[in-house]
Amino acid sequence: MKNTFIKFATATAMLAAMGAAATAQTVLKFSHTDNPGGSRQAAAEVFAEKVAEYTEGRYEVRIFPSGQLANDPKAIEQLQLGGIDFTVSATGSYASHLPSLNLTAMPFLVDSYEQGWDLYDNSEWLTGEFAKLPEKGFRVLSTWEAGFRSFTTKEPLNSPADAVGEKMRVFPNDMIRWTMEAIGFQTVVMPITDVYLAIQQGTVSGQENPVDTIKSLRFYEVAPNITLTRHVYSPLPLTIAEKTWQSFSEADQAAVLQAAVESAAFSRDLVKNSVDSQLAEMVEAGATVVVPVIGPFRDAVASVYGKARDVYGAEEVDKILADAEAIRIALPAN
């Protein structure tokens, strides 16, 4: 009886171990600051599904939205430290680790989504800058979409004159800060996860982000004046910890890269085609949307290009401006 029990227990343990091995997965952490109903979450879910499919279930991408694990700057630091495996954030968020990426946030660089996609996929200068990131501890897999940055403010913003004396939230990016100050705002740096409450309490009078982010994070509820300046194109590079990337086999690297490219196509299509309906929903909820005369805003930020040349070097600035100009000529906005 004793031997029979031992054999049964051993067999049961072996079956359990076999079952565990059959279902074992490596869990990869994906952190972002968008709300669960936003486009980043939707694209992250597509990415997670594709990773599982293309690696035949060996990897599970576990998504942590709403800044649960970290705000944008901290998430990028966590990539470097190995605390998380993936994040997605505005290009300027990565500039703390490669300052030249600030130049992608120069005002009015491109005029359409198609121009922006071409810039991020084909610009010789930008491709070269992204190639420097693995030595910083992370690499770009693809570029998701967020759109063009515009304003939400408590009071109407019809021209730069309305910005004078008002406090504008910015994330830690020189180019964005210079642009806001050139328009006339006083700037206050803070994480995006703190912005809603800061506007509500009067710490700042507004913020600037793409329409998709404004809708997802409900900034229109506390700053109901939406001004569509589209002053900066602000896509979202999807990045992976270099330590995680190097842990993959070549086949798994190819699988994850394919998932990243396909989720980027999904993200671009979703965001571009959602803007009008998102604006309509916000108007229905009580927001006001205006498209101002852009000329005065363009004139106000003209000094930013000179400042960029002084800080980052005329050669670097002229390279990205030349790439952007060539794209605008090849793909004129409608």
Side-chain angles (χ1 to χ4, degrees), residues 142-159:
S142 66
T143 304
W144 292 4
E145 190 56 85
F148 288 83
R149 304 181 81 89
S150 288
F151 292 102
T152 49
T153 53
K154 284 190 168 183
E155 300 298 327
L157 177 66
N158 295 312
S159 73

Side-chain angles (χ1 to χ4, degrees), residues 310-324:
D310 291 340
V311 173
Y312 297 100
E315 183 178 359
E316 295 300 299
V317 172
D318 289 343
K319 283 179 181 177
I320 186 172
L321 289 179
D323 284 352

Side-chain angles (χ1 to χ4, degrees), residues 17 26 91 114 121 133 145 203 249 269 298 305 333:
T26 299
T91 317
E114 290 76 13
D121 292 346
L133 291 175
E145 190 56 85
T203 306
S249 66
D269 181 71
R298 285 184 180 271
Y305 298 98

Side-chain angles (χ1 to χ4, degrees), residues 240-272:
I240 183 173
E242 185 64 13
K243 182 177 179 181
T244 303
W245 178 258
Q246 294 300 336
S247 74
F248 293 154
S249 66
E250 288 187 7
D252 286 343
Q253 287 179 349
V256 170
L257 186 58
Q258 182 178 355
V261 170
E262 292 182 10
S263 61
F266 170 86
S267 172
R268 286 174 171 180
D269 181 71
L270 174 64
V271 172
K272 179 188 176 185

